[in-house]
Amino acid sequence: MRAERLLLAIVVLASLTTLAYSAALSTAQVSQVGGTGLVNVSKADVRVLSVKLGSADFAVSTIDVVTLSLSSTVSGSYLVQVFVSVGTCSASGSTTASLSPTATTLTVDVSPDCAYSSQATVRVRVTQP
Amino acid sequence: MSSKPLLLLAVAAALTPSIIFSILITVNQVSILPNRPDTAYIFGRDTSSGAQIERIQLNLMGNNVATVTITIWVPIRGTYIKQVELYDSSGNLLASGSDTRFEQGSRTRTIDVTPDVPIDYVATVKACISRTAPCL
């Protein structure tokens, strides 16, 4: 009799826990019992291996395109944003790409075109899409 | 049936949904977070001669940057010094290298950088070119 009561208590407790867990997952932003929100669990080292200015093969006078070579230690889809700064001209462009540990070449159109008349800075930002 | 196996069976049956739920949630919530989302490349241009850097490439040996290949455009022939510098995200210089030689037109040069540094530490790559004074 005592064992049956104990058994009943455990089953009821376990059932209530499951119900509470399910309700929390269905109605709230709880991602794990005991935690809140989403947890990023996969850290990626994104590598920008090369950057080329402009669409011309040589004697680049206008930066209308930036060609990149990128890789990531974690394969997946990434948002690649490019910000170009030449003197007072600022341009940007973006694309979504699938990156992997093997280098991928991307061509990103930037707008507006910037004249390559002085030192140019290209900032590449890689995030989740 | 004795009460002990029944007890174990009941506990296992009650906990199974929770375990399955946990596995599903864990798998579904894996997301990719780049360690360092921004990388900057600085392309130098010698405004007096029009010489300019047009492409920069990091060459790896393992995970370390060993050399940097640059493509330059030199409209006025002469002797030019090309320098490359690698910085971390705090702006500290990690490695550098340079090359000086006679140049004209479109050229690709590979420059050794010392010391070798892990590419994942490199946040900014700077390459510049300038014309050296002509020899008399």
Side-chain angles (χ1 to χ4, degrees):
Chain A
M1 192 66 184
R2 189 175 166 217
E4 287 172 356
R5 282 184 182 171
L6 184 63
L7 171 66
L8 187 63
I10 289 172
V11 169
V12 169
L13 187 64
S15 300
L16 287 175
T17 305
T18 305
L19 282 174
Y21 187 42
S22 303
L25 289 170
S26 303
T27 59
Q29 295 295 314
V30 177
S31 58
Q32 300 273 345
V33 167
T36 56
L38 296 175
V39 179
N40 292 293
V41 296
S42 188
K43 286 279 192 177
D45 284 320
V46 176
R47 296 166 173 176
V48 182
L49 297 169
S50 75
V51 177
K52 180 190 176 298
L53 300 179
S55 51
D57 290 335
F58 57 86
V60 173
S61 58
T62 302
I63 303 172
D64 52 349
V65 161
V66 173
T67 305
L68 308 167
S69 176
L70 302 111
S71 69
S72 172
T73 53
V74 177
S75 298
S77 182
Y78 293 84
L79 173 64
V80 180
Q81 296 171 288
V82 175
F83 304 94
V84 177
S85 174
V86 186
T88 57
C89 180
S90 295
S92 63
S94 66
T95 188
T96 302
S98 181
L99 302 182
S100 70
T102 305
T104 302
T105 300
L106 299 176
T107 300
V108 181
D109 292 327
V110 294
S111 180
D113 295 356
C114 285
Y116 188 15
S117 54
S118 60
Q119 177 177 285
T121 300
V122 177
R123 188 170 297 279
V124 182
R125 179 172 295 163
V126 182
T127 55
Q128 275 210 283
Chain B
M1 195 172 179
S2 67
S3 61
K4 196 171 180 182
L6 190 63
L7 183 70
L8 290 172
L9 186 66
V11 170
L15 291 179
T16 298
S18 297
I19 293 166
I20 293 170
F21 240 137
S22 302
I23 293 168
L24 286 175
I25 292 299
T26 303
V27 170
N28 288 338
Q29 285 179 351
V30 170
S31 59
I32 303 166
L33 182 65
N35 270 333
R36 183 174 42 74
D38 281 21
T39 305
Y41 277 68
I42 300 172
F43 293 75
R45 189 173 192 278
D46 183 10
T47 50
S48 63
S49 66
Q52 60 193 27
I53 312 283
E54 299 188 337
R55 183 174 184 270
I56 306 173
Q57 176 181 319
L58 304 182
N59 303 310
L60 304 183
M61 187 174 289
N63 285 324
N64 291 341
V65 180
T67 61
V68 177
T69 299
I70 57 172
T71 300
I72 59 173
W73 168 249
V74 177
I76 300 172
R77 66 181 187 172
T79 302
Y80 289 82
I81 181 167
K82 288 82 64 184
Q83 293 175 290
V84 293
E85 295 174 332
L86 309 179
Y87 296 87
D88 67 14
S89 57
S90 300
N92 301 311
L93 180 64
L94 299 174
S96 64
S98 66
D99 172 81
T100 303
R101 70 175 79 183
F102 190 85
E103 306 284 12
Q104 183 182 18
S106 181
R107 293 285 183 271
T108 297
R109 302 294 181 213
T110 296
I111 300 172
D112 288 333
V113 290
T114 53
D116 292 1
V117 290
I119 186 172
D120 297 323
Y121 294 172
V122 178
T124 302
V125 180
K126 183 176 183 180
C128 64
I129 183 169
S130 63
R131 190 179 186 186
T132 59
C135 297
L136 298 175

